[in-house]
Amino acid sequence: MRRLAGLLVVPLLLLSTAACGSDDKGSDSASMKNGLPAITAGEKFGEKPTLAKGEGDPPKELKVNVISEGNGAVTKKGDALQVNYLGQAWDSTTPFDNSFDRGQPFDLTLGAGQVIKGWDQGLEGQKVGSRIEIGIPPELGYGAQGQGDIKPNATLVFVVDILKAVTIPKSATGTPVAQDDKDLPKVGTNTDGKAPSLTIPKTDPPTKLVSNYVLEANGEAVKATDTVVVNYVAALWADGKVFDSTYTTGKPANFPLAQLTLKGLKDGLVGKKIGSRVLIVAPPSEAFGSEEKQGIPKNSTLVFVVDILTKM
């Protein structure tokens, strides 16, 4: 996400900045296995791993070792993935990030540029239920600039458990719902994967949160603890200007609702059915209030059209 990225609390890994490596397994030792640092404890899928420090020169290309292969579907570009992971620099014995301690798996859309390139490339073509280890050279990681505790030009090592992979529909579907309130925006009902039209009336905005179906599907209801995969258009009521849209990049966004701090957007999605298109109008009290945020004027009423494509 771009402007809406500031609404989510996301782990370090989400901050983005080749061919896969050779089949050379390298020499094994107590601290190295198949050319990557050995897992010295917690080797089984689901366990928090402990990684040894890398020895010798790190791989110059992406290197992926399958620690244990699952029996699920093979991941492909465009899938929504849910994973657990631990990341560590090649020359370190201390992880810089991991999801195991948080007790919260990490969600991403594969190939959407939401993560570093080494992840997008290394996770593709793996089976759900697998534990893999990925060695990532700097150019597929955080490069010369580094990131946080990660030094410039660092080679990174990740252990990743692939928990789930979901195919993302191109559009919401379902039954069109009458839009007969002339004081509310009108939304297109196309299901071709293109951005729906949005027409905002020249009237005063509502003072309470609006969350209405445009297309009502038959999926299960969204819970406040879900991570949903969405396409959306976000606009200002005042002038109709679109300030964010996933359709401009063609890459859906992941909304972990427990971490979504824009109250109106979160409340407008909870309880709605997966597969539906929803119109949400968030008054200032349900949006950013009297604060200016990311170029959005203070006291703005925000309008969202959200396709709830799937959930993790």
Side-chain angles (χ1 to χ4, degrees):
M1 292 181 289
R2 297 172 304 285
R3 290 185 184 274
L4 291 187
L7 308 179
L8 298 178
V9 180
V10 293
L12 173 65
L13 183 70
L14 199 58
L15 304 175
S16 302
T17 53
C20 287
S22 72
D23 292 327
D24 179 16
K25 294 191 173 187
S27 59
D28 288 352
S29 68
S31 59
M32 295 290 291
K33 188 171 183 179
N34 296 340
L36 292 177
I39 300 174
T40 58
E43 186 172 5
K44 293 181 180 178
F45 183 93
E47 296 179 340
K48 179 185 174 182
T50 299
L51 276 174
K53 181 179 179 179
E55 288 183 353
D57 293 333
K60 297 186 182 300
E61 295 182 324
L62 184 71
K63 184 170 181 60
V64 181
N65 290 340
V66 177
I67 306 301
S68 60
E69 188 174 64
N71 55 13
V74 175
T75 62
K76 62 185 184 300
K77 192 172 296 184
D79 281 352
L81 301 189
Q82 185 172 82
V83 303
N84 272 319
Y85 69 91
L86 179 140
Q88 187 168 299
W90 178 271
D91 58 357
S92 175
T93 57
T94 303
F96 56 78
D97 192 18
N98 85 90
S99 65
F100 294 93
D101 287 345
R102 287 192 293 271
Q104 176 63 52
F106 178 67
D107 301 301
L108 68 142
T109 300
L110 191 58
Q114 296 174 348
V115 290
I116 54 177
K117 291 180 180 178
W119 263 53
D120 269 341
Q121 295 179 20
L123 288 171
E124 187 176 354
Q126 305 295 334
K127 291 183 179 179
V128 174
S130 297
R131 165 166 284 197
I132 64 173
E133 185 176 5
I134 312 175
I136 301 177
E139 60 270 22
L140 298 180
Y142 295 99
Q145 76 273 20
Q147 177 66 52
D149 293 335
I150 300 172
K151 298 176 183 178
N153 297 310
T155 294
L156 308 179
V157 183
F158 287 93
V159 177
V160 184
D161 288 352
I162 305 173
L163 306 177
K164 187 185 296 186
V166 178
T167 299
I168 303 174
K170 68 177 181 179
S171 173
T173 55
T175 304
V177 176
Q179 302 179 61
D180 49 12
D181 188 336
K182 62 181 179 57
D183 294 324
L184 289 179
K186 298 297 183 290
V187 179
T189 57
N190 57 299
T191 58
D192 57 2
K194 297 179 180 179
S197 59
L198 173 62
T199 304
I200 299 173
K202 303 295 185 182
T203 59
D204 290 336
T207 57
K208 294 183 179 180
L209 179 68
V210 172
S211 176
N212 293 341
Y213 284 115
V214 176
L215 296 171
E216 184 174 3
N218 295 318
E220 63 181 288
V222 173
K223 300 187 294 292
T225 54
D226 285 340
T227 292
V228 291
V229 182
V230 301
N231 271 325
Y232 65 84
V233 175
L236 300 175
W237 182 286
D239 58 8
K241 181 180 178 181
V242 173
F243 63 85
D244 196 12
S245 172
T246 58
Y247 295 95
T248 59
T249 62
K251 297 172 181 177
N254 296 343
F255 281 178
L257 294 183
Q259 298 173 330
L260 195 64
T261 57
L262 200 156
K263 186 176 186 302
L265 183 55
K266 177 179 179 178
D267 290 351
L269 290 173
V270 171
K272 291 297 188 283
K273 298 174 185 176
I274 301 294
S276 300
R277 176 171 298 160
V278 181
L279 167 70
I280 299 171
V281 181
S285 61
E286 303 283 333
F288 297 124
S290 59
E291 296 182 52
E292 185 271 339
K293 284 285 185 79
Q294 302 170 336
I296 298 171
K298 63 182 181 180
N299 297 317
S300 289
T301 295
L302 307 183
V303 182
F304 299 93
V305 178
V306 185
D307 278 15
I308 310 171
L309 300 174
T310 188
K311 78 164 194 171
M312 297 305 302

